[in-house]
Amino acid sequence: MTSSIDAARQTLSKTDRFVTFHRCSACDRVLSIPEFIERHCEACKGYTKPVAVKERVS
């Protein structure tokens, strides 16, 4: 019984992982950490409002 519970826990933990990153609201480029902190996109050369995006990790 415990092996089936452990298997279920491992399956859930593998399928429920997400990665969050931030994109520029103007050009949809993924922002680096300094760009996110400064709210400045190097590609657009200006202020940006970062958009959080979650993606499932397989």
Side-chain angles (χ1 to χ4, degrees), residues 12-48:
L12 285 176
S13 66
K14 288 180 183 176
T15 59
D16 290 342
R17 290 192 209 165
F18 290 91
V19 173
T20 303
F21 55 94
H22 295 86
R23 291 183 173 257
C24 173
S25 59
C27 69
D28 285 336
R29 189 178 70 83
V30 176
L31 299 174
S32 66
I33 294 171
E35 288 175 325
F36 172 70
I37 292 170
E38 296 171 1
R39 307 276 197 248
H40 182 269
C41 178
E42 291 294 323
C44 296
K45 302 291 185 204
Y47 175 80
T48 185

Side-chain angles (χ1 to χ4, degrees), residues 1-9:
M1 179 95 168
T2 57
S3 62
S4 62
I5 292 171
D6 290 337
R9 286 182 182 158

